[in-house]
């Protein structure tokens, strides 16, 4: 009986010792108050002093988180430059946690998601539709990211071009690309890459005269021998289609 009582007493002593080592909520709260030098302000002066000290701590926290968001953005651009699109996408998504109203970040998400869509292969022996589903999910993310960038900044011409390319070459919705690319070329008047994309959108929507006008403009600008030759070949294709439709 004495041995059992002694064993219980020892166990109780150990539990008390362990519990005394663990800081309680009140003790942590007291330590925080001591650190800030603010206890229980009551007077106007004490309240003003408490607000100043806690405001300073809040400003430090905001500054730290702001810098963290910038670091994620820089990290994302480094990955993007290295063509590591999956890692870049993760970094930009983290940056959006800090800057959810930044049009540039949504534009970068659109780019990375577009590249990741074309990287989807069926690596497993499972459902053959899995890779197609992943690809469409990435393409949907890319579209929504570009649209979000343009909702924040309607004049963001890079996002106009990005979503134009997406609609023409990836989503087979070239009719949706036309207004974005037309607006893009209102400011970027000599961008022959956008002209090629818009001309293709016109062609697939049977707007042959507008497509021919753009190819003539590319030929007149003559950006380089390769592009000029491509515009001439495409122009002949449009002329053939136009003639066949008559």
């Amino acid at each position: 009986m004495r041995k059992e009582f002694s064993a219980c007493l020892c166990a109780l002593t150990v539990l008390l010792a362990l519990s005394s080592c663990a800081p309680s909520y009140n003790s942590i709260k007291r330590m925080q108050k001591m650190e800030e030098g603010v206890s229980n302000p009551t007077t106007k002066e004490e309240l003003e002093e408490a607000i100043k000290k806690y405001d300073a701590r809040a400003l430090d926290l905001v500054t730290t988180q702001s810098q963290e968001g910038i670091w994620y953005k820089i990290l994302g651009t480094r990955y993007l430059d290295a063509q590591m699109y999956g890692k870049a996408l993760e970094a930009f998504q983290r940056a959006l946690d800090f800057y959810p109203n930044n049009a540039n970040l949504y534009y970068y998400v659109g780019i990375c998601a577009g590249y990741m869509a074309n990287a989807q292969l069926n690596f497993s022996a499972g459902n053959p539709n899995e890779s197609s589903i992943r690809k469409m999910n990435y393409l949907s993310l890319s579209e929504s990211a570009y649209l979000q960038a343009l909702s924040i900044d309607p004049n963001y011409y890079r996002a106009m071009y990005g979503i134009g390319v997406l609609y023409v070459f990836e989503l087979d919705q070239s009719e949706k690309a036309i207004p974005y690319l037309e607006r893009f070329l209102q400011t970027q008047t000599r961008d022959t890459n956008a002209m090629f994309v818009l001309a293709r959108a016109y062609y697939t929507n049977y707007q042959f005269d507008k497509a021919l006008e753009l190819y003539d403009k590319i030929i007149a600008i003559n950006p380089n021998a390769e592009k000029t030759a491509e515009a001439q070949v495409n122009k002949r294709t449009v002329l053939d289609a136009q003639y066949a439709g008559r």
Side-chain angles (χ1 to χ4, degrees), residues 19 38 72 103 112 117 135 141 150 157 169 175 218 223 227 230:
S19 63
V38 177
Y72 273 118
C112 294
K135 179 174 182 176
L141 173 60
L150 288 168
Y157 67 90
F169 294 106
E175 71 283 356
I218 295 170
K227 285 186 176 181
E230 183 181 355

Side-chain angles (χ1 to χ4, degrees), residues 195-196 198-204 206-218 231 234-235 238-239:
M195 291 178 194
F196 272 112
L198 180 54
R200 182 181 177 88
Y202 283 146
Y203 171 71
T204 55
Y206 305 100
Q207 299 183 39
F208 299 132
D209 288 338
K210 290 184 177 181
L212 290 171
E213 183 181 346
L214 276 178
Y215 287 130
D216 282 337
K217 189 171 184 178
I218 295 170
N234 290 350
K235 179 181 177 180
V238 175
L239 286 170

Side-chain angles (χ1 to χ4, degrees), residues 109-200:
V109 168
I111 291 176
C112 294
Y115 277 113
M116 290 303 296
N118 289 310
Q120 300 310 303
L121 299 174
N122 188 20
F123 291 104
S124 67
N127 187 350
N129 293 324
E130 287 181 3
S131 59
S132 297
I133 293 171
R134 289 196 301 269
K135 179 174 182 176
M136 288 308 302
N137 286 339
Y138 276 117
L139 291 176
S140 178
L141 173 60
S142 181
E143 179 187 17
S144 62
Y146 286 133
L147 290 174
Q148 184 66 19
L150 288 168
S151 72
I152 296 170
D153 182 1
N155 297 316
Y156 194 176
Y157 67 90
R158 290 188 178 89
M160 296 177 198
Y161 178 74
I163 199 168
V165 171
L166 186 72
Y167 282 138
V168 171
F169 294 106
E170 299 293 346
L171 294 175
D172 194 23
Q173 299 176 17
S174 57
E175 71 283 356
K176 290 185 177 181
I178 291 173
Y180 292 108
L181 293 169
E182 287 178 339
R183 285 176 56 201
F184 176 92
L185 287 169
Q186 287 175 0
T187 56
Q188 311 303 307
T189 57
R190 294 180 66 84
D191 192 310
T192 55
N193 290 327
M195 291 178 194
F196 272 112
V197 181
L198 180 54
R200 182 181 177 88

Side-chain angles (χ1 to χ4, degrees), residues 82-131:
Q83 299 181 358
M84 300 172 66
Y85 302 114
K87 289 292 187 180
L89 181 58
E90 292 175 5
F92 290 131
Q93 287 176 325
R94 291 297 303 274
L96 280 170
D97 290 339
F98 300 91
Y99 297 106
N101 202 39
N102 188 302
N104 289 327
L105 292 174
Y106 288 106
Y107 167 71
Y108 287 132
V109 168
I111 291 176
C112 294
Y115 277 113
M116 290 303 296
N118 289 310
Q120 300 310 303
L121 299 174
N122 188 20
F123 291 104
S124 67
N127 187 350
N129 293 324
E130 287 181 3
S131 59

